[in-house]
Amino acid sequence: MSEERFGEFVLVRRHEQGHVAELVLDRPKAMNAVSTEMARSLAGACAALGEDRDVRVVVLTSSHERAFCVGADLKERNSFSDAELVRQRPVARGAYTGVLELPVPTVAAVHGFALGGGFELALACDVIVADRTAVVGLPEVSVGVIPGGGGTQLLPRRVGAARAAELIFSARRVEAAEAGELGLVDQVVEEGRDRESALELAARIAGNSPVGLRAAKRALRLGQGLDLRAGLEVEDAAWRAVAFSGDRAEGVAAFNEKRRPQWPGE
């Protein structure tokens, strides 16, 4: 396993087996509250991972024992002038869009608090695995703002407009069992197994064609919100992008020869 640090608060682990990269939120003294520096580092780490063709899956994890991420660093925000807040906004957005726009499948491993921007980082991932200690929510209206890291757009895509409205307007926190029932998270696992379970899922995903994975994610993302006819055109374009690839040729050959494919990744 190799490690690379992006600034003081973000760590990337590249697992030697399986083409899985772990994007670690590593500001434990602040329960991973997202400061300007941390946001900038997250964006930089995501840019590097997106360009790494050896990476097939990214798992977003936390180094803090009791929290995934408690959201924006409100202590830092409290010191900002209006002008400073305006200047900081693109940096903050860069962290959330960095995770959201990763071209490979992403899995969030959540335990403890995932609130506000912390839950939005998880929502930016394709799949959320949470352990039984997880508490999620978007409480921004309780401090005079709104979810600004994608929450007002990503949450209704998961749970529907009315459910998202109730959760955002009430600012309530949701514990793991209910979060699983409502679809706020996708898997609820035993306490302490969120990272392990997320990495196991990532390893299964990473065994598949890297060309196919990127194209499938692109079709899923671009097709959201479109009517069926338009969505099927998005799917067809993604299919055409992979149909004549080396991965497709290898996949078919491996199936017929009853062996594991050796993906060329192109």
Side-chain angles (χ1 to χ4, degrees):
M1 182 187 300
S2 64
E3 294 188 350
E4 180 181 4
R5 187 163 287 279
F6 289 80
E8 186 178 355
F9 303 129
V10 176
L11 178 68
V12 170
R13 296 190 183 110
R14 287 178 171 81
H15 293 247
E16 293 178 3
Q17 301 294 327
H19 304 278
V20 173
E22 194 176 345
L23 179 59
V24 186
L25 306 176
D26 190 29
R27 195 188 178 201
K29 291 182 180 179
M31 299 181 83
N32 291 328
V34 182
S35 63
T36 303
E37 180 186 346
M38 186 174 178
R40 189 175 288 113
S41 297
L42 265 172
C46 288
L49 288 169
E51 294 173 0
D52 188 342
R53 301 297 296 189
D54 192 53
V55 173
R56 299 181 190 173
V57 189
V58 173
V59 179
L60 182 61
T61 66
S62 162
S63 66
H64 194 283
E65 292 183 356
R66 294 185 294 108
F68 176 73
C69 173
V70 294
D73 186 339
L74 296 184
K75 290 183 179 178
E76 180 188 65
R77 292 278 179 91
N78 192 48
S79 70
F80 283 169
S81 66
D82 288 352
E84 288 170 332
L85 185 59
V86 169
R87 286 196 297 271
Q88 196 256 3
R89 175 62 176 164
V91 179
R93 286 194 70 186
Y96 301 103
T97 57
V99 176
L100 184 65
E101 294 177 359
L102 280 166
V104 298
T106 49
V107 182
V110 174
H111 60 266
F113 297 113
L115 301 173
F119 188 37
E120 288 174 303
L121 287 172
L123 288 172
C125 294
D126 299 301
V127 180
I128 303 174
V129 176
D131 83 356
R132 296 191 183 280
T133 70
V135 179
V136 305
L138 297 175
E140 284 88 346
V141 298
S142 69
V143 293
V145 291
I146 70 166
T152 65
Q153 305 306 304
L154 295 170
L155 188 58
R157 283 168 166 79
R158 271 187 162 267
V159 300
R163 179 69 70 190
E166 182 265 315
L167 292 165
I168 291 170
F169 295 161
S170 69
R172 72 183 180 94
R173 300 178 178 191
V174 182
E175 295 186 359
E178 185 185 4
E181 293 171 0
L182 297 180
L184 299 176
V185 303
D186 302 300
Q187 295 181 24
V188 179
V189 299
E190 294 302 318
E191 180 176 347
R193 292 201 71 246
D194 54 297
R195 177 177 176 269
E196 178 185 355
S197 296
L199 287 170
E200 288 173 356
L201 173 59
R204 290 199 300 274
I205 294 171
N208 297 311
S209 158
V211 171
L213 289 172
R214 286 175 178 249
K217 175 160 181 172
R218 190 163 60 249
L220 284 163
R221 287 291 175 89
L222 292 178
Q224 286 181 358
L226 300 180
D227 63 42
L228 179 58
R229 186 179 297 273
L232 289 172
E233 291 303 316
V234 168
E235 181 182 82
D236 186 64
W239 179 86
R240 291 174 185 277
V242 302
F244 309 103
S245 67
D247 273 14
R248 196 276 309 172
E250 168 62 10
V252 173
F255 177 84
N256 283 292
E257 295 166 16
K258 297 180 173 57
R259 59 174 175 81
R260 292 175 63 88
Q262 300 297 316
W263 304 114
E266 57 185 21

